[in-house]
Amino acid sequence: MEVHLVDGTYELFRHYYALPSARDKDGQEVAAARGVLASVLGMIKGGATHIAVATDHVIESFRNGLWEGYKTSEGIEPGLLTQFPLLEEVLSAAGIVVWPMVEFEADDALAAAACAAARDARVERVVICTPDKDLAQCVRGKHVVQLNRRAQVTLDEAGIVQKFGVLPTSIPDYLALVGDAADGLSGPARLGREIVSCSPSQICPSRVYSCRLP
């Protein structure tokens, strides 16, 4: 079987900015949550049998205590933020497994789930559904892959190396050096472009997620 792990936070943001506004009888914005629900149900209709969705129920996490400039909910439109609990509710009502993350992030849930699923002998392939660069570190061979659903591009380990120039296990170090604007992290001055030219063997993997795949 295949296990699909969906980045609900990314999907909610994507649908919020892609769909026209729609409100319920109480005036609450619902278009994005409705869009994500339809998208996940579409995956099931397309043959997906084992799906879980992780969300950032609270945008802030323990990482905000480690780095002052780490991403927060500041600046996120209220009409988007209020749809997180709504999305979690409607997905659960539809029978979808949902992990609403508090303190930890949706990325952490997806990484841990990918680790657990990859170790299950019944699982032929784990598909992490997100374009988030952080999750590229979880890719292993052709067994654990990363899918950008919007672009319909799937990356296995060879694809990650081709895209970033480093092995998946070196993605944490790569991002630490080049920075990651999505998380509010900037790389050390003058190192970003230089590190891209390094071979994968020149970057030593660090421990970012506590659950590592073999």
Side-chain angles (χ1 to χ4, degrees):
M1 66 181 177
E2 283 194 347
V3 172
H4 288 80
L5 304 172
V6 180
D7 184 345
T9 295
Y10 165 75
E11 292 292 342
L12 195 64
F13 270 80
R14 179 167 76 93
H15 284 82
Y16 182 79
Y17 290 105
L19 298 176
S21 173
R23 298 180 181 273
D24 63 13
K25 60 182 179 63
D26 298 318
Q28 179 179 341
E29 187 66 50
V30 298
R34 188 169 62 185
V36 177
L37 174 62
S39 178
V40 173
L41 292 177
M43 292 176 65
I44 296 173
K45 291 179 181 178
T49 58
H50 295 74
I51 302 176
V53 180
T55 64
D56 290 296
H57 186 74
V58 177
I59 300 297
E60 288 76 15
S61 70
F62 75 94
R63 291 182 176 89
N64 292 95
L66 302 176
W67 177 257
E68 184 178 352
Y70 199 71
K71 64 183 177 182
T72 69
S73 58
E74 183 179 356
I76 299 178
E77 298 186 35
L80 173 54
L81 281 175
T82 57
Q83 291 188 73
F84 275 90
L86 175 62
L87 174 63
E88 293 154 6
E89 180 181 353
V90 297
L91 287 173
S92 294
I96 307 298
V97 173
V98 182
W99 299 314
M101 302 305 291
V102 176
E103 185 180 356
F104 290 90
E105 299 180 47
D107 286 0
D108 297 299
L110 296 172
C115 178
R119 290 173 175 166
D120 191 323
R122 299 168 298 175
V123 177
E124 297 174 2
R125 191 168 75 149
V126 181
V127 183
I128 307 173
C129 303
T130 181
D132 193 328
K133 296 186 290 293
D134 289 339
L135 273 302
Q137 67 185 279
C138 297
V139 172
R140 293 293 183 274
K142 296 181 181 296
H143 185 45
V144 181
V145 300
Q146 185 173 16
L147 168 63
N148 183 332
R149 296 184 61 224
R150 184 180 65 82
Q152 286 299 297
V153 173
T154 301
L155 297 178
D156 57 12
E157 188 163 330
I160 296 297
V161 172
Q162 181 178 17
K163 181 176 181 178
F164 297 103
V166 299
L167 294 167
T169 51
S170 293
I171 288 293
D173 304 273
Y174 172 88
L175 293 178
L177 290 166
V178 304
D180 189 354
D183 288 334
L185 302 176
S186 58
R190 296 187 299 277
L191 282 182
R193 284 176 292 182
E194 293 176 9
I195 197 64
V196 175
S197 63
C198 292
S199 68
S201 61
Q202 291 176 274
I203 304 178
C204 299
S206 63
R207 304 292 179 182
V208 172
Y209 293 123
S210 60
C211 187
R212 307 292 292 190
L213 296 180

